[in-house]
Amino acid sequence: MFRTALRNVSAHKARLLMTVLAVMLGVAFVSGTLVFTNSLSDALQKQSAKGFDHVDVAVTPEWKEAEGDKAGEYPELTRALVDDSAAVPGAARAIGTVQGFTAIAGKDGKLLGDGFQSQGGNYWGPKDPRYPLVSGRAPKGEGEILIDSETAERAGYKVGDKVRMSVDGPVLEPVITGVFTTDDGNVAAGGSLTLFDTATAQKLFGKPGTFDEIAVKAKDGVSDTALRAQLEKALPSDLVETTTGTQLADDQAEAIASSMSGLKQGLLVFAGIALFVGTFIIANTFTMLVAQRTKELALMRAVGASRRQVTRSVLIEAFVVGAVAAVAGLVAGVGIGAGLRSLMGTLDAPMPDGPLVVSPGTVGSAFVVGILVTMLAAWLPGRRAAKIPPVAAMSAVHAQATTKSLVLRNTLGALFSAAGVAVVLAATTMEGSDGQAPMGLGAVLLIIGVFVLTPLLSRPLIAAAAPVLRVFGVSGKLARQNSVRNPRRTAATASALMIGLTLITGMTVMAGSLQKSIDKMAASAIEADYMVSMANGHPLSPDVEKELKRSGGVTATSPMRNAYALVDGEDEYLTGVNGATFGELTEFTVVQGTFEIGGTRVAVDEDTAKSYGWKAGSDFTIVYEDDEKQKLTVSGVYQANEMMSGIVIDTATLDPHEEEPADMMVMVKTADGTSDAVKDSLEKALGSNPAIKVQDKQDLSNEIAKMFTLILNMVYGLLAMAVIVAVLGVINTLAMSVFERSQEIGMLRAIGLDRKGVKRMVRLESLVISMFGGVLGLGLGVFFGWAAGELVGSSMATYELVLPWARMGIFLLLAAVVGVLAALWPARRAARLNMLQAIKAE
């Protein structure tokens, strides 16, 4: 039986090629994902480890718990502690480090890199071993800085250039005295690193005379654990704690691996989708192969082969096919991994240097996935073939599915579909993350149910295309009949395309609806012309609002100042605003009372009011952060949104209880509305500070849209793999269908159907099957997009379903193109059949 199985594989090389390709693509995606994420993780970990080359032990302040009414705090790391660390016998040197946000502008005045990755630090002494200089010298005083080589190259800066920059304060214009190299991960990710001399860094970052950390390097021959023990004896244990460089590197590596797991899982989900779609093709292929060899298998049974041996022979074929596909997929996967790494670099997401990592786990996964998926998909056709009695097989009595099997299939499909719809609908009534797992389960059940019901659905849906197909005469009529002749095969072929389009459509509906909802929220809740905030998300100084008020053309401003307080012993979120102007700058839906803020009158959102049993006119007592109490009155209850929630209070009431008031955002209304000229004047009023963003509602929307577009394009690219696999499935099905119907096609040619008619028949058949899968995919995608939107809408008041008709039309056109392209080779093969040989074919 083993020799027979191998002979069958070698005899049907052309038939199995599509199956090999389908499995290979799935395996390539899995192995490519593993190669890419492992290579990225390895490079980041090695780069991170380099960052600790100059740190054998890190000394950091130890948190001191509060005593009595005093708040807890970190003790200061002074220069004396740095000197004490350097004096330890095993220490070669000790460096005090200072870090903070530093925004540096390019030659166009705009912020370089992402605000969250724009960092600053100190350069230790005349020569800091952490940052080797490429050119220039160390900085001295506030007027001099160093910048990293990647930022210098990206912005076109060189030694001697003057740059605009800010460190949570006024704009500075220092001169670049040197350029250095660094292994800092933020720089590798596209950020920037600016260095000052130590005294200047301490002053700018608000830490005069103190440090964030002390990096101690051991002498040759002294281990980091031995150095740590010496430091623990020499330094006050109640002020500092010590960590070895090895531990820091291990912790960083663990953090990197953890952050990479999300990316890896996301990519593997799409790989799984490609494999899931490929499973249909494999099962379809082996079903047809077994059907074509029914008499051969029956003869084997008649001469003594058992059912188990027949099944085993089919599984051996699947094993060989899976092994070949796994090897090819692994090789292709290495190429995909390298391609993804290069692609990330072209998308302004610089990748750290490092070799491609092909781990034993990746190799093992490729073979397990390739062989296991193929054998599982082939098991059912093999088992079905083994159960056919030899006499029935020889007489082809087995060819038609029994009524009992069809009733059972349709019943199971209906039950799965009903259960899936019920679970999805139930999930839409849940709140936020509570409904995610049920909705995922419901989606899986519904897709399985629709797949099982697809043979039943194929007849009425394909029949709906009959009026269009009549235009093509005999070829159109034959194409429709061929499409429904074997509903199971049609279903398996269409389902592959259906799944890909379901996911693409669902994601498009969700992205479009979310974007519309965010635009609506900005338009309905914000009446201000501009929102001013820090580029790194940190609080703004109250001086920013004062500068804006002095700017010409500004008619109203209000900060949004965050704070916390206690109400009945529970922490509550406060938003401080200018009560006199806030009404001009926002428009919230008021459920009860009025949106009147000032003095002791405050507004609260619905959830907060409900939790405390408040309504308009209710009084309550609040305890501020300085432990002062005050009685406040609810003037009104409003609907919360992503912009604001909690208790809204006047800044004049809140500020006396805040040690250092800071604004998360300042809203601005101008006499001339929004324009480039007004925006420029506001930026100039703030000193053209690269650390501060001035955005109108369209800027906010575009910023969010950019994120959605990037994610959606990535999803389209990943799901393209599933669509390619679906195309192979259509080609495979048509090619085998043509082989099966060789005699029939020969007869059609003999009675007058010309070659063009045969080509048209096969193309129309492919088109009908593809459009059938496309319609099902669009329908399911819209349903899932709506359901997921209902879940999101529970926490987003402005959510609104948007159906992207134009894109859905493109997706349907894509399904048609898939059908036409997939039919090219099978149609040409059918048209070139020799009619006499075809008529004589078994």
Side-chain angles (χ1 to χ4, degrees), residues 54-73:
H54 301 288
V55 184
D56 286 321
V57 178
V59 179
T60 54
E62 184 172 7
W63 176 255
K64 294 184 69 176
E65 295 293 340
E67 295 180 5
D69 294 333
K70 295 181 180 179
E73 62 179 1

Side-chain angles (χ1 to χ4, degrees), residues 561-836:
R561 195 164 292 167
N562 295 348
Y564 286 92
L566 291 176
V567 178
D568 293 344
E570 297 290 331
D571 282 330
E572 285 300 332
Y573 184 72
L574 302 180
T575 302
V577 300
N578 185 334
T581 60
F582 195 62
E584 297 178 53
L585 300 166
T586 58
E587 186 177 338
F588 286 90
T589 303
V590 180
V591 180
Q592 291 180 22
T594 60
F595 205 85
E596 182 184 341
I597 301 164
T600 59
R601 296 180 66 78
V602 300
V604 298
D605 70 282
E606 284 182 289
D607 290 340
T608 304
K610 185 177 179 181
S611 65
Y612 289 103
W614 296 338
K615 57 184 179 181
S618 296
D619 294 328
F620 65 95
T621 301
I622 193 169
V623 182
Y624 294 104
E625 291 182 60
D626 62 355
D627 293 331
E628 292 289 325
K629 295 181 180 180
Q630 188 173 26
K631 191 175 183 179
L632 302 176
T633 301
V634 177
S635 65
V637 179
Y638 68 94
Q639 284 184 358
N641 59 28
E642 287 69 27
M643 177 183 170
M644 193 171 70
S645 62
I647 301 171
V648 185
I649 186 170
D650 195 287
T651 51
T653 306
L654 176 63
D655 286 357
H657 306 284
E658 293 290 297
E659 187 176 344
E660 292 183 4
D663 304 329
M664 294 308 297
M665 178 190 295
V666 177
M667 291 180 288
V668 181
K669 189 89 170 175
T670 63
D672 298 326
T674 58
S675 68
D676 290 341
V678 173
K679 186 175 181 179
D680 287 342
S681 70
L682 292 177
E683 288 177 343
K684 286 177 181 176
L686 297 173
S688 300
N689 194 322
I692 298 177
K693 293 191 297 186
V694 178
Q695 297 176 297
D696 60 21
K697 286 186 278 190
Q698 191 58 49
D699 291 332
L700 285 174
S701 181
N702 291 343
E703 191 173 69
I704 297 167
K706 184 179 178 182
M707 178 182 68
F708 281 139
T709 303
L710 177 63
I711 293 172
L712 199 59
N713 287 339
M714 286 179 65
V715 170
Y716 284 164
L718 294 169
L719 289 177
M721 185 72 74
V723 175
I724 291 171
V725 175
V727 171
L728 291 174
V730 178
I731 296 172
N732 206 18
T733 298
L734 289 174
M736 292 198 168
S737 178
V738 166
F739 179 82
E740 271 186 355
R741 289 158 30 209
S742 295
Q743 191 176 53
E744 175 188 319
I745 292 170
M747 289 294 295
L748 289 171
R749 290 289 315 285
I751 60 175
L753 188 66
D754 60 9
R755 288 186 173 181
K756 284 186 179 180
V758 171
K759 282 185 179 180
R760 192 180 303 121
M761 175 186 72
V762 176
R763 287 172 185 162
L764 290 173
E765 181 182 348
S766 175
L767 186 63
V768 166
I769 292 173
S770 297
M771 292 297 285
F772 171 50
V775 169
L776 284 180
L778 286 179
L780 284 174
V782 169
F783 176 69
F784 290 139
W786 165 81
E790 289 294 302
L791 198 60
V792 172
S794 65
S795 57
M796 183 181 281
T798 56
Y799 185 83
E800 177 185 342
L801 179 67
V802 175
L803 294 180
W805 294 106
R807 289 205 177 190
M808 290 197 296
I810 292 172
F811 296 156
L812 205 56
L813 182 63
L814 174 66
V817 171
V818 165
V820 172
L821 293 177
L824 290 177
W825 178 62
R828 185 167 178 269
R829 181 182 177 190
R832 296 183 64 174
L833 282 174
N834 183 296
M835 69 178 76
L836 296 178

